[in-house]
Amino acid sequence: MGQYVIERGRHFVAIKPFASRYEWEVHILPLQHRSDFMEITDEERDDLARVLKRAMSRLDAVIGGAQYNFFLHSIPHNNEFANCHDSYHWHLEICPRTSIPTGFELGSGLFVSTISPEQAAARLRAVELD
């Protein structure tokens, strides 16, 4: 398992991004290229649910009680993007709100993290799940 991987299923992987906006941000991505979330199969949906549940259990065990924002990025459904399927990879972003952006973040658009992505991934991976 790679240093940024925190959970892996048959069809999906949960990673701690190297450059994320939030300290404990996690992304879930399909292992095979897919541009459109609406095209997942029943088997893939079940695997996504399993990976998401386990990733959330890991986050709750490490940071507990946080508020979460979820962002599902999928290719838009209109003619303008009809030729973009090869270049777009859908994914789910989980962004726990463990701190409040302050003047530096709000003014610069740059986010400060107090933990490296490698350390965060290691702590999330270390959580014992059933």
Side-chain angles (χ1 to χ4, degrees):
M1 200 177 288
Q3 68 179 337
Y4 300 107
V5 174
I6 63 164
E7 188 67 45
R8 185 182 173 114
R10 291 187 62 206
H11 302 283
F12 293 90
V13 63
I15 64 165
K16 173 65 185 103
F18 175 74
S20 60
R21 293 162 293 182
Y22 304 100
E23 296 165 325
W24 297 99
E25 184 172 337
V26 170
H27 292 187
I28 299 178
L29 304 103
L31 291 170
Q32 298 297 316
H33 174 70
R34 297 272 197 271
S35 60
D36 191 351
F37 169 75
M38 298 298 292
E39 294 178 358
I40 66 172
T41 66
D42 290 345
E43 181 181 335
E44 290 168 334
R45 183 200 61 226
D46 292 346
D47 191 55
L48 173 60
R50 180 189 162 281
V51 170
L52 175 60
K53 181 179 179 180
R54 291 178 62 86
M56 293 302 299
S57 294
R58 291 177 186 286
L59 284 165
D60 190 51
V62 173
I63 62 174
Q67 295 178 1
Y68 296 93
N69 289 315
F70 295 84
F71 303 101
L72 178 63
H73 296 273
S74 185
I75 194 161
H77 285 224
N78 65 36
N79 291 336
E80 182 180 351
F81 298 96
N83 295 327
C84 298
H85 286 270
D86 290 343
S87 62
Y88 196 86
H89 197 79
W90 81 262
H91 61 282
L92 176 66
E93 296 176 7
I94 305 166
C95 299
R97 301 303 299 257
T98 56
S99 63
I100 298 170
T102 59
F104 179 78
E105 289 92 353
L106 296 172
S108 69
L110 300 173
F111 289 77
V112 176
S113 181
T114 60
I115 187 168
S116 75
E118 295 85 2
Q119 291 171 323
R123 285 187 56 194
L124 291 168
R125 262 194 318 272
V127 172
E128 294 287 330
L129 299 175
D130 294 334

